[in-house]
Amino acid sequence: MPTVHFTDTEGTTRDIDANPGDSVMETAVRNGVPGIVAECGGSLSCATCHVFVAENQLDELDEMSEMEDEMLYGTTEDREDNSRLSCQLKITEDTDLHVTTPETQV
Amino acid sequence: MSTTQESTTAEAAGSTAATAAGTSTTHTETGMLIVGASQAGVQLAISLRGTGFEEPITLLGEEDHRPYQRPALSKEFLQGKVDKENLIFRSAEYWDEHDITLVKNSRIERIEKKPDGSGTALATDGQEHPFLRIALAVGARARPLQVPGADLTGVSYLRSADDALDLKGRLDEFTDVVVIGGGFIGLEVACSLHGMGKTTTVLEHGSRLIGRAVGEETSDYFLKAHRERGVDIVLNSRVESLVDSGNGTVSGVKLEDGTFVPAQLVIVGIGVIPNTGLAEQMGLEVDNGIVVDGYALASDGSTIAVGDVANMPNPLPGSPEGERIRLESVNNAIEHAKVAAYSVSGRREEYAGIPWFWSNQADMKLQIAGLSMGFDSTVVRRVDDKGKFTVLYYREGQIIAADCVNTPLDFMAVRAALGKNQQIPAEAAADPDVMLKSLVVDREDTR
């Protein structure tokens, strides 16, 4: 089963089973993972599902759209090179993704 | 947890069964009874746990669905890009783990409340829900169209998952659709259906689109953009009647000027009416929604009212004393529920969230930060001539809002500035080559 590993700023990691086709954001929200707000429900409008992706896994991800890129400039915690909006990260059969959630989203 | 059985019973009981049973059951007293399981009610339950509220929480929903998110109903869901499962807020395990009891198919018809805030809510299926504290997150209902023929088969509203499921199931039955109402819902549905190959006409009563939410420049842009994409839009239209095809189904819309627009489907999106019936029955002050103070408390000082149904003090910094507003938005439902949770937990915080809204229409993204009510001047930033622009709204020289069309950078800058009670000077803001973020300065007067 695909898995997403969410690590918060205190170092606690939650390993969440995920469904192929869902987004990383949906996986987090449905399981109540702290640190992901996702006010807009995944329509790329709010930038409150910001995550930092493990550096060695960045290449596995689809490229970000111009819209996601612009939205990332508005995140509450400043973006880094490995920043993504988790609503844009789709789970596939062999996803085993490690992400860190920022200290705050709003 | 002691409440599992209630939830099982409610899930097993379809609406018919519940009515037919006619039995009266009194449940164990809950710490917080939340009436309404949409965005605001759900968020209140979650935030109460987040702020350390330890009593049992019961969340009552009227529909036969687990609590779900609404915004996608008119867009991604209708277009088949996401299914219902994607819209569910939380897994069943989450509610169990947090001692939050979900009750579906429950419609409260009367609330008996004592001065200390406790009481009992009586549901139409005979169930009684005693509570120590109650919250009304009862939202709003679609405003009904009142013209001859409005009850014909083929006339739909789009407010709930059932509405959307019904509409999706009938997509093959029509080729021509009329949408009555050129607001957010109407335009989103029109775009979705037009994108699926339907001949689509939007009838707007007013002189411009999305008139309640955006200024003229933004309205004009969307009018032109939708027409270019092939959606027919009629402004200043006066619907006289919906026409019967002869067998009780709609065949089109007749306008007062004699025009007939054929349609096998008519979708009505002409606004909503706040559900204030229970509040009125409880004797709470009601005025375009349930009147609440800055802590989401109704006029009795103990009942909580949150989200679309609440008429609250304008939360924007610097807004005039006594100005009130009722907001219909996801963002407000969430932020207002957080305020209520703090209020209940004795950690009162003034509502300081910045209202914002979004609407995705075809390939266009509209993001609105703040509230433009009461603006006295605007600045238009035209980033390019291909549909990227921002309108900034000012009131007595202070920025209060922005309509951002395909300009998320501007949206983020304005939302952040408003949140920090900062200012974006109008003189420099018109130059689209200058990043708005670089212009933000602290306000001189701070309330």
Side-chain angles (χ1 to χ4, degrees), chain A residues 1-13:
Chain A
M1 198 167 197
T3 310
V4 184
H5 311 271
F6 294 91
T7 303
D8 64 23
T9 43
E10 286 167 5
T12 308
T13 299

Side-chain angles (χ1 to χ4, degrees), chain A residues 29-30 39 43-45 73, chain B residues 91 356 358 365 367 437:
Chain A
V29 168
R30 210 158 307 137
E39 277 192 23
S43 63
L44 199 49
S45 297
Y73 281 104
Chain B
S91 66
W356 71 273
W358 85 91
K365 179 184 287 294
Q367 292 163 297
K437 206 172 177 175

Side-chain angles (χ1 to χ4, degrees), chain B residues 16-43:
Chain B
T16 334
T19 315
T23 49
S24 162
T25 310
T26 302
H27 294 275
T28 320
E29 185 172 69
T30 189
M32 174 65 80
L33 183 69
I34 302 172
V35 184
S38 196
Q39 194 93 44
V42 164
Q43 186 64 47

